[in-house]
Amino acid sequence: QVQLVESGGGLVQAGGSLRLSCAASGSIFRINAMGWYRQAPGKQRELVAHIISGGVTNYADSVKGRFTISRDNAKNTGYLQMNSLKPEDTAVYYCNADLFIRVGVRGDYSGQGTQVTVSS
């Protein structure tokens, strides 16, 4: 089985920074892509950032220039560095991974989420 565990969330003042981590464990052959999504109360889940094999990234317009997604393939871990945080960044942040558990068997997995709260 595959598990994704997020960490690094918390309470921070506006303008501050947080670094989220997403550790993938279990039967993993290769991770194709990792992404971070967020869901604020009363809103739909939205894509925040995404990184694929080779390091190509994309970001939601609302976080461009403030957030940076990265991954450590050797550790099967993804990161989201969040700077210049704003109150509107407050949400539960979820990690997602598109991966092979073995050759030819591909799946999509998500973690339980970590709360990020930005106070004004």
Side-chain angles (χ1 to χ4, degrees):
Q1 300 298 322
V2 175
Q3 279 192 320
L4 299 183
V5 179
E6 302 99 333
S7 61
L11 173 65
V12 64
Q13 288 188 330
S17 298
L18 285 173
R19 189 192 195 206
L20 305 183
S21 298
C22 172
S25 62
S27 179
I28 299 171
F29 175 66
R30 188 182 75 237
I31 297 177
N32 298 317
M34 298 188 81
W36 289 93
Y37 294 76
R38 67 186 181 187
Q39 188 165 19
K43 295 187 177 181
Q44 289 189 329
R45 189 173 296 194
E46 63 174 351
L47 175 67
V48 176
H50 187 252
I51 183 167
I52 63 174
S53 298
V56 177
T57 59
N58 70 284
Y59 298 90
D61 287 343
S62 59
V63 307
K64 282 181 181 176
R66 300 188 298 123
F67 291 11
T68 302
I69 188 170
S70 61
R71 55 190 283 186
D72 184 331
N73 293 326
K75 297 180 178 180
N76 286 335
T77 300
Y79 305 96
L80 185 68
Q81 177 66 44
M82 306 186 295
N83 298 328
S84 303
L85 283 160
K86 305 175 181 180
E88 50 264 43
D89 294 318
T90 295
V92 178
Y93 284 70
Y94 299 89
C95 173
N96 174 270
D98 168 24
L99 57 86
F100 284 96
I101 61 172
R102 58 181 180 272
V103 176
V105 182
R106 186 173 182 173
D108 191 79
Y109 299 87
S110 292
Q112 294 298 309
T114 184
Q115 176 71 46
V116 171
T117 303
V118 185
S119 63
S120 57

